[in-house]
Structure formats: structure tokens, C-alpha cells
Amino acid sequence: MVAPNCPELALELCINQSAADDILSQRERKQILRALQEVEISPKELIEYSFYLAEQVFKEEQRLVTNWLRDFVMLANQADLPKPFLAKGVWFSPGSGIRNVLLEAIKTAEKTLDVCVYNLTDDRLANALLSAIDRGVQVTILTERASMFQRGSEIASLRNRGANTIIVERSQRLMHHKYLIVDRELRGYVLSGSYNWTNSAIKNDENLVLVSEESRVRQYCENFQKMLERGNKK
């Protein structure tokens, strides 16, 4: 059977077919995981649908699919699903859309946040970083040294909440990057573009792009590490 063009229907078809014999085979696992990469869905929604499907099979055929249900719930809990808020991949301002994406990325980080920005005066983004620090996320900030002393800068207060999380660039040229590396040691991704982390940025024509390809993410990580080493030199 040819899969439908709609990603949601394609996923539903994969799941329905996999439950037919009460066995979740390796081939079916791969098909479902591929289909999951094309839709916005949470593990909770997947599990709820699997229970609904199992209930329908029992009502219609008086047959239990307990083995399939057990394996599917495990698959749903372990699946590396795309972050729903990142599905779009590209964002533009004016407006608060870019800031909302950054806030959500910070909120959902599990291990590390590497922030490389020219300046940081947006208190909402600063508060999100503080919350991340409080829940145990390792936050490292690389910024232009002069920006620490600009009016409204949040850099000093962030540094005071975790001195080793703030790294200041000390090069002679201007550090003008604006990117965020999320969970570099996990299945990390980067949010990069022209958007400054300032209160006035939402009024400007700016852009933000998701970078998720492993080799590209690695390049950002290498760039970040190189600038940290240069920045640590007096």
C-alpha cells in the first residue's frame, strides 16, 4: 500500500499496520521512527493513541494486542522526537516569534547551553538562563567584553549566579556572533542568525535558523571552543 502524502496519515498507517499481528518488528520500528520525524507529536500523544488503537482492536475483533502495546509504549518513551517548536526551522522578526523560540529552546535544554552573543539585555532571555542554571543545566556565555558595561546588560548578574558560566571575549576584533548551542553532547542543535538578545531586537528585521545536521553542529561547537580559548587569554 502506498503511504499517503499527509505525514500524520502516514504515521497512523504505520502504527495501525504494526498492531495487526501483536508484534512490533524491527522493520516496523524503523518505519514508525522515520514517520515520527515528519510530524509534531509528543510521547504522551503517541501512547494515548496506542491505547486507543488497542482498545479498538479488542472491541472489533475481541483480540488483545498486549505484546505490541508494551513494545510500542517503550518505543514512544525512548523515541528521539523532533522538538515541536523547532519544526518550522526558520523564523523572522519583527515580532516576538524568534524570542519565543529561544525561550523554548532554553526551557527544554537538558544538559548544556552555550550562548554566543554580542550583547544580552533581554531580561526574559536572561531569566530563562537563570532558571536553566537553577535546574542544573551548564550555561556558558561568550560575549563581547564591552557589552558587559553597556546599559541594561544582564551579563554581570548572570555571572554572579555562576562565575564559571560566564566567559568574556578578550580579542581585539569585535565578537559579533549570535548563536545558541543546545545540548552539545546529546543530539544537539544550534539556533543561529542575526537576532541580538536585546530588548530592541523584536522591533527589527531579523532572522533565526535551526541547524541540526551533526557535522554543522560540530562546526559551531568547534568555533565556540576556539573563541573560549582565545577569550581566556589575558
Side-chain angles (χ1 to χ4, degrees), residues 78-130:
Q78 296 177 349
D80 194 1
L81 302 177
K83 302 290 191 300
F85 70 95
L86 295 177
K88 186 176 179 182
V90 180
W91 300 266
F92 298 95
S93 64
S96 59
I98 291 179
R99 180 169 63 185
N100 289 340
V101 171
L102 292 170
L103 288 171
E104 191 66 19
I106 295 170
K107 177 182 176 182
T108 57
E110 299 178 27
K111 296 292 184 180
T112 60
L113 287 165
D114 297 322
V115 184
C116 189
V117 290
Y118 170 69
N119 199 357
L120 202 169
T121 64
D122 190 318
D123 57 342
R124 290 186 61 184
L125 291 171
N127 288 336
L129 290 174
L130 289 173

Side-chain angles (χ1 to χ4, degrees), residues 14-23 28 53 57 63 65 68:
C14 286
I15 295 174
N16 291 354
Q17 290 178 336
S18 73
D21 58 358
D22 195 29
I23 296 174
E28 290 169 343
L53 181 59
V57 170
R63 180 170 58 87
V65 287
W68 173 85

Side-chain angles (χ1 to χ4, degrees), residues 26 35 52 54-55 82 86 92 104 117 120 124 136 148 168 174 196 210 213 222:
Q26 289 299 319
Y52 165 78
E55 183 181 33
L86 295 177
F92 298 95
E104 191 66 19
V117 290
L120 202 169
R124 290 186 61 184
M148 285 189 62
V168 179
L174 196 65
N196 267 317
L210 168 68
E213 184 181 351
E222 291 171 354

Side-chain angles (χ1 to χ4, degrees), residues 19-80:
D21 58 358
D22 195 29
I23 296 174
L24 185 59
S25 68
Q26 289 299 319
R27 179 180 60 82
E28 290 169 343
R29 290 172 188 269
K30 292 178 181 179
Q31 289 177 337
I32 292 170
L33 288 173
R34 282 198 299 269
L36 282 172
Q37 297 305 308
E38 304 299 323
V39 301
E40 296 182 26
I41 192 168
S42 68
K44 181 175 182 292
E45 291 171 318
L46 271 178
I47 292 170
E48 287 177 350
Y49 180 72
S50 69
F51 274 91
Y52 165 78
L53 181 59
E55 183 181 33
Q56 293 303 113
V57 170
F58 180 74
K59 285 182 178 179
E60 295 172 8
E61 304 177 22
Q62 295 297 301
R63 180 170 58 87
L64 295 174
V65 287
T66 51
N67 293 325
W68 173 85
L69 184 60
R70 177 200 62 212
D71 293 341
F72 187 87
V73 169
M74 186 178 300
L75 176 69
N77 279 323
Q78 296 177 349
D80 194 1

Side-chain angles (χ1 to χ4, degrees), residues 25 29 50 57 86 109 122 126 149-150 173 190 194 207 217 229:
S25 68
R29 290 172 188 269
S50 69
V57 170
L86 295 177
D122 190 318
F149 308 104
Q150 293 183 7
R173 55 183 176 271
V190 177
S194 67
N207 72 85
V217 173
E229 293 170 359

